[in-house]
Amino acid sequence: MTNSPMDTATALLKRIETCEGTVRAFTTYDPVRIRMEAEQAPAGPLNGLSVGVKDIIDTVGYTTEHGSPIYTGNHSRGDAACVTQLRNAGAVCVGKTVTTEFAFFRPGPTVNPHDVTRTPGGSSSGSAAAVAAGMIDIGLASQTAASLTRPASYCGTVGFKPSYGRYAAAGIKSLAPSFDTLGTITRDVATAARADAVLKGPVATTSHLSPTAPTRIALCRTPHWDEAGEGTRHAVEEAARLFGAHVDVVELDLSDFSDAASLHITIMSYEASQALAWEFTQRRVQLSDQITGLLEAGQRIDYATYRDALARAEELRSRFAALVPSGTAVLAAAAPDVAPLLSEGTGSPLFSRLWTLLRLPTVTLPGLTGLHGLPVGVQLLAPFGEDETLLDQAAWAETVLPSRPVPSVHV
Amino acid sequence: MTNSPMDTATALLKRIETCEGTVRAFTTYDPVRIRMEAEQAPAGPLNGLSVGVKDIIDTVGYTTEHGSPIYTGNHSRGDAACVTQLRNAGAVCVGKTVTTEFAFFRPGPTVNPHDVTRTPGGSSSGSAAAVAAGMIDIGLASQTAASLTRPASYCGTVGFKPSYGRYAAAGIKSLAPSFDTLGTITRDVATAARADAVLKGPVATTSHLSPTAPTRIALCRTPHWDEAGEGTRHAVEEAARLFGAHVDVVELDLSDFSDAASLHITIMSYEASQALAWEFTQRRVQLSDQITGLLEAGQRIDYATYRDALARAEELRSRFAALVPSGTAVLAAAAPDVAPLLSEGTGSPLFSRLWTLLRLPTVTLPGLTGLHGLPVGVQLLAPFGEDETLLDQAAWAETVLPSRPVPSVHV
């Protein structure tokens, strides 16, 4: 932080040169522009921090290709709100990070910095991998199902998905607007809190993070515990044990939320098939089978079914609010297990659908490991709107969990 | 409807040639493209209908300039969801219609077809004026404060703003996402219902409009009745009298919703100053004083104030839902009076802020008149989500109200 902007830029570029050939986290970055931005960055609370921008987010000076050949060479006229907010606060935009196709499943070229034969997760693949590899400090990421939490878990990073609507969505390609949520991937909670103080409003503020244990921790295995692998079971139980040495850990039974995942799929499919209507109608041959399947599924859902799903989701949100008192942190699995092999895709979103449906703020925390010492994250969640409390709790939890595993490309 | 597509296109172009020189409803339209689209339109429920697209909505083949010199010559890569949906259903896109600057206050060149010295209202100025003048059948419009209801009222047209979120927002420039709502301006309720059956989901359906009187009508003068002019007072009272001959009219007292307008302004300012962060930061000299004022006001609001406003808005929505039973139609003023003179701007949004904050569906109905026989609309509103019931009620109300006034440019 006390380095000159040019020292920072030079160190940044050196790190990128070292790692990017292997990790392939960026769709594009420009050393000249990075130096220029570093030199010209206004004084602000994010000075010295570098940002990678998920490639579904409009960014002047770089292409915005949404992970799709339909948008090859696409330049936006302006920056998305979040990019302007971060730049105004003194951060340097390093470039665009790889996203899966339209933030759904078809992967880009990025690999996991902990094991280059494995996926970094998706859809925020490049942001998670670049942060894990130390190429950027803040990865802008988004989540419609599990697109932030899952890569954060696989890459051993901190993932913060705030309450739905907390950060401005202007200039971000939409997939399913009932769920689309902008968030960040960072190496520690403090950096997520610094970014939060900038992204939550029109004027940048300084974060006041105060690590604080939650009143209690509610361990929720979710209705999908049977599908959790060994790494995840161990991580969640171990986190509960470590936290339990300091605060009460109680069980949260959400077995009557078991329709949440299917409600999430109904709403997401219906909305995606509208959000991507032009691409489906005019550019179908350039779409993957995966996203075509999603859009066709959406077309088979009628309005009454969609509306009932929206109404039921609202009911579940109210029920959760009544069940979980303010000050409680919910502890839950972040992903089914360690990162799958690249050949298996970007992993399953199953362990986030419920939470995304509920629109809750969540922090994914690294420190625990599974097979071959690969990272396995755990989620801490809070009641809707308690984002700042959650960040304080996550900062406390960070001190209780083991240190973030260091990726192999780091050496 | 039984005409050939080319006959339709020819008639359409003739009408545009007659009126557009006076009305100036379009930012751009292309006769060659209109003929081509008419010829190639797929068979669908909107065959024979023409659409004007508010110029904050991405449209391939036309510029999308958001009413701002910042976006002069801007071309989008794809169509907004709504444009694709309408085209897929067989409608012809005629061109882009004038919007005020970023759907806020700075007017474009459009005049009111009923009196060319008066405003068509804003921000959906061109869509309302083009529909009133018979140049298009469906004007795509949007509302963040009163941007659809007000021009519909001033131009003597039907304005349908559905429940918040009913139509997809993908590809539409955002102003304040808590309120931004896409809707339509048409000459009759039946056309609004036909468009609704297409815009509400990924697959076009056929409307089943069934004109039905509401169970009861709740006349709501709102906390701003003192600011209603003579034309509006007369129109609302006269509508209540006409409806009262068929159904019970009761009074709805929302005097304890009196903070709604200020809550609306707080939320809108805060969100707009994020949505337009890039324009404010990088292109400030090209912004009007009006929108600069809005954005600066947003920057003076802190997060806690914004969050409290969101929470209070939710509370008012719940309270309204408890007060107004299903099947009730609320009758309210659509605008302060007849359209003001051009020199006075695009009119006041005061009479819609409450309803927009509540996210209710609303149909503005023409037929009543004020000063010089100029149109004055009235609104019918329904509980959230009862859009189809509301359209049925509006189709009934249309038969009870006098006929839509014919604009002078029509002669």
Side-chain angles (χ1 to χ4, degrees):
Chain A
M1 243 61 74
T2 52
N3 292 342
S4 81
M6 289 314 282
D7 290 347
T8 306
T10 302
L12 191 62
L13 284 165
K14 201 172 156 209
R15 183 78 202 140
I16 293 173
E17 270 164 38
T18 308
C19 303
E20 176 59 7
T22 307
V23 178
R24 305 183 68 187
F26 292 96
T27 59
T28 173
Y29 69 94
D30 176 352
V32 174
R33 180 169 278 271
I34 292 168
R35 288 181 191 280
M36 187 188 75
E37 275 199 36
E39 208 164 37
Q40 296 176 358
L46 302 188
N47 280 149
L49 294 185
S50 56
V51 177
V53 180
K54 183 176 180 179
D55 202 29
I56 58 166
I57 301 175
D58 286 349
T59 316
V60 171
Y62 290 108
T63 50
T64 301
E65 299 184 333
H66 309 308
S68 167
I70 298 171
Y71 289 89
T72 299
N74 176 56
H75 277 275
S76 61
R77 189 81 163 223
D79 283 329
C82 55
V83 172
T84 300
Q85 288 169 307
L86 294 170
R87 281 181 172 155
N88 284 352
V92 171
C93 267
V94 169
K96 304 301 289 287
T97 59
V98 170
T99 175
T100 59
E101 179 192 32
F102 298 117
F104 195 54
F105 279 121
R106 183 169 66 184
T110 314
V111 302
N112 192 312
H114 292 269
D115 177 346
V116 299
T117 68
R118 291 177 185 270
T119 178
S123 66
S124 306
S125 317
S127 281
V131 167
M135 295 193 281
I136 51 174
D137 299 306
I138 299 167
L140 282 175
S142 69
Q143 178 152 312
T144 305
S147 277
L148 186 156
T149 300
R150 187 161 93 255
S153 176
Y154 291 168
C155 292
T157 54
V158 171
F160 176 47
K161 184 188 86 78
S163 297
Y164 174 79
R166 184 169 168 96
Y167 298 165
I172 306 179
K173 181 77 172 167
S174 150
L175 178 59
S178 282
F179 304 129
D180 295 339
T181 306
L182 178 70
T184 55
I185 293 177
T186 55
R187 280 182 299 279
D188 54 34
V189 175
T191 306
R194 286 174 70 187
D196 179 69
V198 168
L199 291 169
K200 78 180 199 296
V203 175
T205 62
T206 306
S207 74
H208 297 283
L209 193 65
S210 167
T212 310
T215 317
R216 80 193 60 71
I217 284 179
L219 167 60
C220 182
R221 291 188 171 78
T222 78
H224 310 291
W225 191 246
D226 286 352
E227 295 171 65
E230 211 177 308
T232 287
R233 284 164 179 265
H234 162 77
V236 172
E237 303 289 2
E238 180 64 7
R241 192 185 66 76
L242 292 167
F243 296 151
H246 306 272
V247 293
D248 278 351
V249 176
V250 299
E251 294 267 344
L252 175 64
D253 176 16
L254 296 185
S255 53
D256 57 345
F257 286 58
S258 60
D259 56 343
S262 86
L263 291 168
H264 178 270
I265 292 169
T266 296
I267 295 169
M268 180 169 165
S269 312
Y270 192 87
E271 294 186 356
S273 63
Q274 293 182 82
L276 298 174
W278 176 78
E279 291 82 354
F280 184 82
T281 304
Q282 298 293 337
R283 299 287 185 274
R284 201 170 318 177
V285 296
Q286 290 177 283
L287 295 174
S288 70
D289 289 347
Q290 286 145 314
I291 201 143
T292 302
L294 175 76
L295 305 184
E296 287 174 345
Q299 291 168 1
R300 288 190 295 270
I301 297 164
D302 65 17
Y303 189 72
T305 305
Y306 168 65
R307 261 217 52 201
D308 290 350
L310 288 180
R312 169 76 180 151
E314 265 308 311
E315 198 183 304
L316 292 180
R317 285 169 202 141
S318 300
R319 197 182 301 181
F320 182 89
L323 266 177
V324 178
S326 179
T328 304
V330 174
L331 168 65
D337 209 319
V338 299
L341 293 170
L342 285 167
S343 57
E344 292 167 27
T346 62
S348 163
L350 184 63
F351 282 92
S352 283
R353 289 195 193 273
L354 163 64
W355 310 119
T356 302
L357 185 89
L358 297 178
R359 300 181 167 174
L360 302 177
T362 170
V363 175
T364 301
L365 290 166
L368 298 160
T369 52
L371 183 77
H372 307 321
L374 288 167
V376 179
V378 294
Q379 292 191 69
L380 278 192
L381 301 109
F384 184 86
E386 298 191 8
D387 296 75
E388 281 153 57
T389 303
L390 175 65
L391 287 167
D392 286 344
Q393 293 168 348
W396 166 82
E398 207 174 29
T399 66
V400 175
L401 293 172
S403 300
R404 190 172 58 84
V406 176
S408 50
V409 298
H410 211 286
V411 187
Chain B
M1 239 62 73
T2 52
N3 292 341
S4 82
M6 289 313 282
D7 290 348
T8 307
T10 302
L12 190 63
L13 285 165
K14 200 170 157 210
R15 184 76 203 139
I16 294 173
E17 270 164 39
T18 308
C19 303
E20 176 58 7
T22 308
V23 178
R24 306 183 68 187
F26 293 96
T27 60
T28 172
Y29 68 95
D30 176 354
V32 175
R33 180 170 277 272
I34 292 168
R35 288 182 190 280
M36 187 188 75
E37 275 199 36
E39 207 163 38
Q40 297 175 357
L46 301 188
N47 279 150
L49 294 185
S50 57
V51 177
V53 181
K54 184 176 180 178
D55 203 28
I56 58 165
I57 300 175
D58 286 349
T59 315
V60 170
Y62 290 108
T63 50
T64 301
E65 299 185 332
H66 309 308
S68 167
I70 299 171
Y71 288 89
T72 299
N74 176 55
H75 277 275
S76 61
R77 188 81 164 223
D79 282 330
C82 55
V83 172
T84 299
Q85 287 169 306
L86 294 170
R87 281 181 172 154
N88 284 351
V92 171
C93 268
V94 168
K96 304 301 288 286
T97 58
V98 169
T99 175
T100 58
E101 179 193 31
F102 298 116
F104 195 55
F105 279 121
R106 183 171 65 185
T110 314
V111 302
N112 192 311
H114 292 269
D115 177 346
V116 299
T117 68
R118 290 177 186 271
T119 179
S123 66
S124 306
S125 318
S127 282
V131 167
M135 295 193 281
I136 51 174
D137 299 306
I138 299 167
L140 282 175
S142 69
Q143 179 151 313
T144 305
S147 277
L148 186 155
T149 301
R150 188 162 92 254
S153 176
Y154 290 168
C155 291
T157 54
V158 171
F160 176 47
K161 183 188 85 79
S163 297
Y164 174 79
R166 184 169 168 95
Y167 299 164
I172 306 179
K173 180 77 174 168
S174 149
L175 178 59
S178 282
F179 304 129
D180 294 340
T181 306
L182 179 70
T184 55
I185 292 176
T186 54
R187 280 182 298 279
D188 53 34
V189 175
T191 306
R194 287 175 69 186
D196 179 69
V198 168
L199 291 169
K200 78 180 198 296
V203 175
T205 62
T206 306
S207 75
H208 299 282
L209 194 65
S210 165
T212 310
T215 317
R216 79 194 61 71
I217 286 179
L219 168 60
C220 182
R221 292 189 170 79
T222 79
H224 310 290
W225 191 246
D226 286 352
E227 295 170 65
E230 211 176 307
T232 287
R233 284 164 179 265
H234 162 77
V236 172
E237 304 288 3
E238 179 65 7
R241 192 186 66 76
L242 291 167
F243 297 151
H246 306 271
V247 293
D248 278 350
V249 175
V250 299
E251 295 266 345
L252 175 66
D253 176 16
L254 297 184
S255 53
D256 56 346
F257 285 59
S258 59
D259 55 344
S262 85
L263 292 168
H264 178 270
I265 292 170
T266 296
I267 296 169
M268 179 169 166
S269 311
Y270 193 87
E271 295 186 355
S273 62
Q274 292 182 82
L276 298 174
W278 177 78
E279 291 83 353
F280 185 82
T281 304
Q282 298 294 336
R283 298 288 184 273
R284 200 171 318 176
V285 295
Q286 290 177 282
L287 295 174
S288 70
D289 289 347
Q290 285 145 314
I291 201 143
T292 301
L294 175 76
L295 305 184
E296 287 174 345
Q299 291 167 1
R300 287 190 295 270
I301 296 164
D302 65 18
Y303 188 72
T305 304
Y306 169 64
R307 264 220 46 204
D308 290 351
L310 288 179
R312 169 77 179 152
E314 265 309 310
E315 198 184 304
L316 292 180
R317 285 169 202 140
S318 301
R319 196 182 302 180
F320 182 88
L323 266 177
V324 178
S326 181
T328 304
V330 174
L331 169 64
D337 208 320
V338 299
L341 294 170
L342 285 166
S343 57
E344 291 166 28
T346 62
S348 163
L350 184 62
F351 283 91
S352 284
R353 289 195 193 274
L354 163 64
W355 310 119
T356 303
L357 185 89
L358 298 179
R359 299 181 167 173
L360 302 177
T362 169
V363 175
T364 300
L365 291 166
L368 298 159
T369 52
L371 182 77
H372 307 321
L374 288 167
V376 179
V378 294
Q379 293 191 69
L380 278 192
L381 302 109
F384 184 85
E386 298 191 9
D387 296 75
E388 282 152 56
T389 303
L390 176 65
L391 286 167
D392 287 344
Q393 293 168 348
W396 166 82
E398 207 173 30
T399 66
V400 175
L401 294 170
S403 301
R404 190 173 59 82
V406 176
S408 49
V409 298
H410 212 287
V411 189

